[in-house]
Amino acid sequence: KEDSAKEECKLLSSSSSSSSSMETIDIQELFTRLTLDVFLNIAFGIDLQVITNPEKYRAFTEALDEIQSLCHERFNDLFYHIKQRFNLTRREKRIKECAKIIDDFTYEIIDRAQQRRRDDNQPRGENDKISGNNGIVDEDQDVIKGKKSSQRFDLLSSYIHTANKDDENLSKKELRDSIMTFIFAGRDNTARALTWVLYDLTKHPTVTNKVIEEIESKCGVPGDANSDFSFETVVNNLPYLHAVIMESQRLHPTVPENFRMAVKDDTLPDGTKILAKSCVMYSAYTMNHSELYWGDDADEFNPDRFMNRLEPSPYLFPIFNAGYRLCPGKPLALTEIKVTLARLLPSYEFVDAKNHTGKCRWTITMAMDGGFHVAVRRRENKAGSRT
């Protein structure tokens, strides 16, 4: 959603009032707001403008973060099934509290979206409101006002339409599960990926300059009347930016490890026997840093390893999983990352404000520990005017 990238540019612009001054922000937190905005729009067809109204949705976003960290702790607890079933520990109690916050928010948006479908032949005016269960969400944003459901695409509408066509009834819980899977995957993974790319670029200014040169040569200068930042141009015509993203994901995979529980006895292709209820784990982080696969410079940032070559097999480079488990949101995530960076990098200079060591916070996803605080300054464009 290009509009969200533009909103982020506006927010950064307000944080960097002049080319000579540099304001410090936590870009990881800002990217998380951006991706939540984008994926809520895709999932529900609404624009909550989380980017510019973070406090309004802070309880929901903090619950999302906390529940992932708490659930990750279960992997190191042999008795978590018992504790979960009987709600024995503070952790399990808190998981339920976070789940209720998330459910309240999600169910209200589902109610609102379903009501919108029922009223889609009655375009809303500027002051119309649809109240939900708790008043968490209180009004439609400009991007969807006056549009019928048939004129919009969102996952919720698609699920309902498909179910109606097949004479199936989807429960709210089924809708919630499908939508939250999408939001969990899209919000955190994409935001983490954006943050790690920017971190790598702050450490490698030569690479940054090369990326900006490619963007300006293929897309033009931001703000110029002849510039072209369309999805087609950004996604298909910036091979070096793509290589930078892939290399950053290799070094800092947003999902560093993956677990699967066997529902029945199974046998792996090499003959290894897997018993029912066994947990099987692979580490994308370890694979991505293996000198066996990537050479002696496996721990170094080198985007050129992804230039002028086919993308490695997902079984070797499983940042989006592989096979039947290949992430269906891969094209969308890469598009959002590319569009955001193509908009930001030529317009703003980013400097690591606290000399971050690259230490990560390892939960279900791999975030930068303590966030990533950058000093931001607007660049002068080719014509000498500020973007």
Side-chain angles (χ1 to χ4, degrees):
K1 182 167 166 282
E2 191 176 7
D3 288 341
S4 286
K6 291 179 180 178
E7 283 297 318
E8 188 171 59
C9 285
K10 292 178 183 177
L11 194 59
L12 286 173
S13 181
S14 67
S15 299
S16 51
S17 56
S18 71
S19 60
S20 60
S21 66
M22 301 192 81
E23 298 292 332
T24 300
I25 60 172
D26 180 0
I27 198 70
Q28 180 168 260
E29 194 270 340
L30 185 60
F31 281 152
T32 302
R33 283 190 262 156
L34 167 71
T35 54
L36 181 60
D37 248 349
V38 170
F39 283 94
L40 283 174
N41 187 280
I42 294 169
F44 299 107
I46 57 177
D47 185 359
L48 298 185
Q49 298 184 5
V50 182
I51 292 177
T52 52
N53 296 288
E55 292 301 324
K56 186 174 181 180
Y57 308 105
R58 189 169 296 281
F60 173 69
T61 57
E62 288 182 350
L64 284 175
D65 291 334
E66 187 175 359
I67 201 169
Q68 290 185 75
S69 178
L70 294 173
C71 286
H72 188 263
E73 291 179 10
R74 287 174 169 173
F75 289 118
N76 297 318
D77 187 346
L78 292 175
F79 304 103
Y80 91 83
H81 288 288
I82 298 174
K83 296 175 182 177
Q84 177 187 17
R85 180 175 180 180
F86 296 103
N87 201 29
L88 293 179
T89 63
R90 186 207 66 83
R91 180 189 67 207
E92 298 304 323
K93 290 182 174 66
R94 183 56 186 161
I95 286 175
K96 287 190 174 182
E97 293 170 357
C98 290
K100 185 179 185 305
I101 294 172
I102 294 169
D103 283 349
D104 287 346
F105 179 90
T106 308
Y107 284 138
E108 181 165 352
I109 292 197
I110 290 173
D111 285 342
R112 179 181 168 200
Q114 289 177 324
Q115 180 65 47
R116 187 193 66 213
R117 285 177 56 83
R118 290 191 288 269
D119 295 345
D120 64 2
N121 289 321
Q122 302 176 21
R124 301 187 186 97
E126 187 69 25
N127 298 316
D128 288 349
K129 295 185 180 182
I130 297 176
S131 60
N133 297 326
N134 304 318
I136 301 172
V137 182
D138 58 7
E139 62 181 307
D140 284 323
Q141 300 297 337
D142 292 341
V143 72
I144 65 169
K145 284 177 181 173
K147 292 185 179 180
K148 297 180 180 180
S149 294
S150 59
Q151 296 174 303
R152 295 184 298 265
F153 169 80
D154 60 81
L155 288 182
L156 183 63
S157 296
S158 178
Y159 286 147
I160 295 173
H161 175 74
T162 301
N164 291 341
K165 186 172 63 175
D166 295 338
D167 293 324
E168 297 178 0
N169 291 318
L170 287 176
S171 68
K172 275 190 180 181
K173 184 178 184 301
E174 289 173 316
L175 289 172
R176 180 209 64 182
D177 291 347
S178 296
I179 297 301
M180 285 311 303
T181 297
F182 188 78
I183 290 178
F184 267 120
R187 166 191 177 261
D188 294 322
N189 293 358
T190 308
R192 305 300 185 246
L194 275 165
T195 307
W196 284 113
V197 172
L198 201 62
Y199 167 77
D200 287 323
L201 289 175
T202 61
K203 303 300 182 185
H204 299 86
T206 302
V207 173
T208 303
N209 291 335
K210 190 172 178 179
V211 169
I212 293 173
E213 288 173 6
E214 179 183 65
I215 294 169
E216 292 182 341
S217 67
K218 299 293 179 64
C219 302
V221 178
D224 187 271
N226 297 319
S227 63
D228 178 13
F229 285 86
S230 64
F231 284 172
E232 182 178 3
T233 299
V234 172
V235 172
N236 299 323
N237 296 333
L238 300 175
Y240 191 67
L241 176 60
H242 180 82
V244 167
I245 295 168
M246 291 295 100
E247 178 67 350
S248 180
Q249 277 290 276
R250 185 185 69 82
L251 291 174
H252 322 284
T254 52
V255 182
E257 57 192 11
N258 216 319
F259 297 83
R260 290 290 180 265
M261 185 75 72
V263 297
K264 60 182 180 180
D265 291 349
D266 202 353
T267 304
L268 298 182
D270 67 351
T272 302
K273 302 293 184 182
I274 305 295
L275 299 179
K277 297 185 179 181
S278 296
C279 186
V280 179
M281 185 271 281
Y282 72 84
S283 172
Y285 184 90
T286 301
M287 295 171 67
N288 291 355
H289 286 257
S290 172
E291 294 184 2
L292 176 65
Y293 300 129
W294 301 99
D296 295 340
D297 65 343
D299 290 331
E300 297 178 13
F301 181 73
N302 178 19
D304 289 337
R305 74 174 85 243
F306 286 93
M307 289 294 290
N308 303 314
R309 57 167 289 183
L310 294 175
E311 189 170 308
S313 164
Y315 293 99
L316 169 67
F317 185 47
I319 57 170
F320 289 99
N321 224 315
Y324 292 116
R325 295 288 186 174
L326 183 67
C327 175
K330 175 182 177 181
L332 176 61
L334 289 175
T335 296
E336 186 179 358
I337 294 168
K338 291 177 182 180
V339 169
T340 301
L341 294 174
R343 282 281 181 181
L344 295 183
L345 293 177
S347 301
Y348 299 93
E349 178 185 359
F350 299 92
V351 178
D352 185 349
K354 296 186 176 181
N355 196 26
H356 202 291
T357 63
K359 182 180 178 181
C360 66
R361 186 178 74 252
W362 197 310
T363 60
I364 294 175
T365 60
M366 193 168 77
M368 295 192 70
D369 189 41
F372 185 41
H373 294 83
V374 294
V376 185
R377 176 169 56 198
R378 283 184 288 179
R379 298 182 188 272
E380 299 288 341
N381 67 22
K382 297 293 184 181
S385 62
R386 288 174 188 163
T387 54

